[in-house]
Amino acid sequence: MNTLLCKGMFCLLSWEADSRGRHGEYMLQPLSLQAEETTELGSKKELKSMPFITYLSGLLTAQMLSDDQLISGVEIRCEEKGRCPSTCHLCRRPGKEQLSPTPVLLEINRVVPLYTLIQDNGTKEAFKSALMSSYWCSGKGDVIDDWCRCDLSAFDASGLPNCSPLPQPVLRLSPTVEPSSTVVSLEWVDVQPAIGTKVSDYILQHKKVDEYTDTDLYTGEFLSFADDLLSGLGTSCVAAGRSHGEVPEVSIYSVIFKCLEPDGLYKFTLYAVDTRGRHSELSTVTLRTACPLVDDNKAEEIADKIYNLYNGYTSGKEQQMAYNTLMEVSASMLFRVQHHYNSHYEKFGDFVWRSEDELGPRKAHLILRRLERVSSHCSSLLRSAYIQSRVETVPYLFCRSEEVRPAGMVWYSILKDTKITCEEKMVSMARNTYGESKGR
């Protein structure tokens, strides 16, 4: 019986001993074997070559080596572009202890499973079973069809089988949808493997993070991708989508948020749930939405209006009109009004001083403290010479499930088997363009 143990790029092949006492030196290469035979007197014969599969078949037939030690006169040497790595304990040759060069990928004619190199059916099946168990079931269970039957020792503290790992999904921004002030699209690749654990659902959490919110107490909103989004039972501000990667077998799930607050810091968290109720590791994305949409022409008109109200003697009626006008606009618009006012009329006194003088400290404070809501990032952009607003539309694939999953049976449903209907729709995206000169 032969055994192949591999770690990294090194493999150790062992087999039963030959009672006939033949001696030889063998060098293993990727697909061929060279054997140099010697006589007892040390005279050399010609170098012989044979296919690697022939060598394995011959070992199986001849029963050449023992299980526990190599036979005298046989040496396995690891070759790397003609040189021997010093890290291989089977490769020690006097005077050849040089450092290993950088590995170079040789030409690959075709790719086949390693166990197909073995011709004996019994050995091939045992080797195949061991490799499949190691790759799909962490070596702690057997592959049955497309799932893992875990060993009795492969159960976690909750009593759930854990020989088949549940991969962590990686949440990311969708590259096809640029975030705007209110719209953000996120996506992730389906982590369900071909064999092993089955993903039942993905749970998405989102919450706004700011200095006024206790992030430990405020948990945000949790959404089930299957029950809330694909079913259409959730809010209209969040929708589900699905597409395929470069390989058709790879599914990409996506979620679009359409009602976020501009200039807001949001934290999104995703984890997978399998059919046994296990949760994967969390994947997190934190981002700030784009600055609010600003009508720059209107901001300039308001700045002119405020200057005219402040100019000369200001009556109580004019004071109240100026106060109401400044309190009705958004914080970002107020910031832009201040910018235009100071750009045109600062020689008559800046916006802050004039507001305190004309409206009084209390009303001026109520107006000016709203400027603190604008982030430092948006503050710098709102000082640009010109701002142009625009609204564009981008396509998005909205998806709904065709079937209703039974209540209380979430863990027993496989998300990938859910029948989904998708329809492409257009999503409006409002943006500002900032610059030092007017765009065309």
Side-chain angles (χ1 to χ4, degrees):
M1 178 178 179
N2 50 6
T3 305
L4 185 63
L5 304 175
C6 297
K7 184 177 182 182
M9 62 172 289
F10 303 108
C11 297
L12 174 62
L13 184 67
S14 62
W15 54 88
E16 294 184 3
D18 179 15
S19 59
R20 294 173 293 177
R22 295 179 58 189
H23 296 272
E25 180 174 298
Y26 296 85
M27 179 177 65
L28 295 182
Q29 293 181 345
L31 289 177
S32 65
L33 167 74
Q34 289 184 332
E36 183 177 354
E37 296 185 357
T38 60
T39 64
E40 295 180 355
L41 297 178
S43 60
K44 294 184 178 180
K45 296 183 180 180
E46 61 177 337
L47 191 67
K48 298 181 179 180
S49 296
M50 69 182 73
F52 185 66
I53 185 63
T54 304
Y55 174 65
L56 291 178
S57 178
L59 292 177
L60 185 63
T61 304
Q63 301 289 299
M64 292 181 61
L65 294 180
S66 64
D67 290 331
D68 53 351
Q69 62 182 358
L70 297 177
I71 191 172
S72 176
V74 175
E75 178 187 10
I76 297 179
R77 294 186 282 118
C78 307
E79 296 288 341
E80 185 180 74
K81 298 284 291 180
R83 302 177 64 183
C84 183
S86 60
T87 54
C88 181
H89 69 282
L90 299 174
C91 307
R92 305 298 169 83
R93 290 180 293 174
K96 302 289 184 179
E97 302 290 340
Q98 74 277 7
L99 294 177
S100 171
T102 302
V104 177
L105 180 65
L106 303 179
E107 181 182 357
I108 299 176
N109 294 325
R110 63 191 181 97
V111 178
V112 295
L114 189 59
Y115 56 79
T116 60
L117 299 176
I118 303 174
Q119 291 184 335
D120 177 73
N121 290 334
T123 305
K124 180 187 295 185
E125 288 301 317
F127 193 15
K128 176 182 178 181
S129 176
L131 286 179
M132 295 283 282
S133 173
S134 176
Y135 187 83
W136 297 110
C137 310
S138 305
K140 301 176 182 178
D142 299 322
V143 173
I144 307 296
D145 295 329
D146 63 346
W147 58 281
C148 288
R149 183 180 62 191
C150 298
D151 298 337
L152 294 177
S153 60
F155 286 79
D156 60 17
S158 303
L160 297 175
N162 63 351
C163 66
S164 178
L166 178 57
Q168 176 191 25
V170 179
L171 190 63
R172 66 191 182 194
L173 278 174
S174 298
T176 57
V177 181
E178 180 185 356
S180 71
S181 56
T182 59
V183 179
V184 169
S185 179
L186 302 169
E187 68 178 26
W188 65 93
V189 177
D190 184 23
V191 297
Q192 178 171 305
I195 296 175
T197 187
K198 305 302 178 187
V199 174
S200 172
D201 199 2
Y202 291 96
I203 305 299
L204 188 68
Q205 177 199 20
H206 69 99
K207 63 180 179 179
K208 187 178 180 183
V209 182
D210 52 40
E211 63 273 19
Y212 308 107
T213 304
D214 189 335
T215 55
D216 295 329
L217 296 177
Y218 174 62
T219 58
E221 183 180 5
F222 287 85
L223 293 171
S224 163
F225 186 76
D227 292 339
D228 296 328
L229 301 181
L230 286 180
S231 65
L233 299 178
T235 172
S236 60
C237 289
V238 188
R242 182 180 179 181
S243 59
H244 293 283
E246 297 179 358
V247 181
E249 290 77 15
V250 176
S251 295
I252 298 177
Y253 296 113
S254 62
V255 172
I256 188 168
F257 294 84
K258 299 180 289 183
C259 306
L260 301 180
E261 295 183 19
D263 193 21
L265 185 64
Y266 286 88
K267 181 178 180 181
F268 302 89
T269 303
L270 177 76
Y271 63 87
V273 181
D274 70 2
T275 53
R276 299 183 183 274
R278 290 186 304 165
H279 292 185
S280 70
E281 296 293 328
L282 300 177
S283 178
T284 302
V285 170
T286 302
L287 59 87
R288 181 175 292 278
T289 52
C291 301
L293 198 65
V294 172
D295 187 340
D296 201 32
N297 293 329
K298 184 178 180 181
E300 194 167 8
E301 292 175 1
I302 294 175
D304 293 337
K305 177 181 178 180
I306 297 300
Y307 169 75
N308 293 328
L309 292 174
Y310 286 173
N311 190 24
Y313 171 75
T314 307
S315 65
K317 180 180 179 180
E318 290 172 329
Q319 288 179 355
Q320 189 63 37
M321 185 180 297
Y323 175 78
N324 292 341
T325 300
L326 295 176
M327 289 296 288
E328 288 172 358
V329 299
S330 64
S332 56
M333 276 290 286
L334 179 62
F335 196 100
R336 193 62 181 171
V337 169
Q338 180 188 31
H339 171 80
H340 283 301
Y341 187 97
N342 291 336
S343 298
H344 298 310
Y345 310 113
E346 191 171 18
K347 59 183 178 181
F348 304 107
D350 70 356
F351 179 76
V352 174
W353 181 82
R354 289 288 290 170
S355 297
E356 291 176 344
D357 183 58
E358 297 294 339
L359 304 179
R362 187 183 69 84
K363 286 187 176 180
H365 174 71
L366 292 176
I367 294 171
L368 297 175
R369 73 175 183 178
R370 298 173 61 224
L371 296 175
E372 300 174 359
R373 302 176 186 176
V374 182
S375 67
S376 58
H377 171 68
C378 287
S379 297
S380 61
L381 292 175
L382 290 172
R383 294 189 183 96
S384 303
Y386 297 98
I387 299 177
Q388 187 176 24
S389 59
R390 73 183 194 277
V391 178
E392 60 184 23
T393 56
V394 296
Y396 186 80
L397 203 62
F398 290 87
C399 297
R400 296 280 295 272
S401 60
E402 300 179 2
E403 53 193 23
V404 179
R405 302 193 349 161
M409 298 289 288
V410 175
W411 290 356
Y412 302 100
S413 303
I414 299 176
L415 180 61
K416 204 164 190 176
D417 295 341
T418 303
K419 295 181 180 180
I420 296 177
T421 301
C422 298
E423 179 183 2
E424 185 175 273
K425 296 182 180 180
M426 305 303 292
V427 180
S428 297
M429 312 279 283
R431 309 183 192 282
N432 294 325
T433 302
Y434 308 91
E436 298 305 319
S437 61
K438 287 185 177 180
R440 294 182 178 179

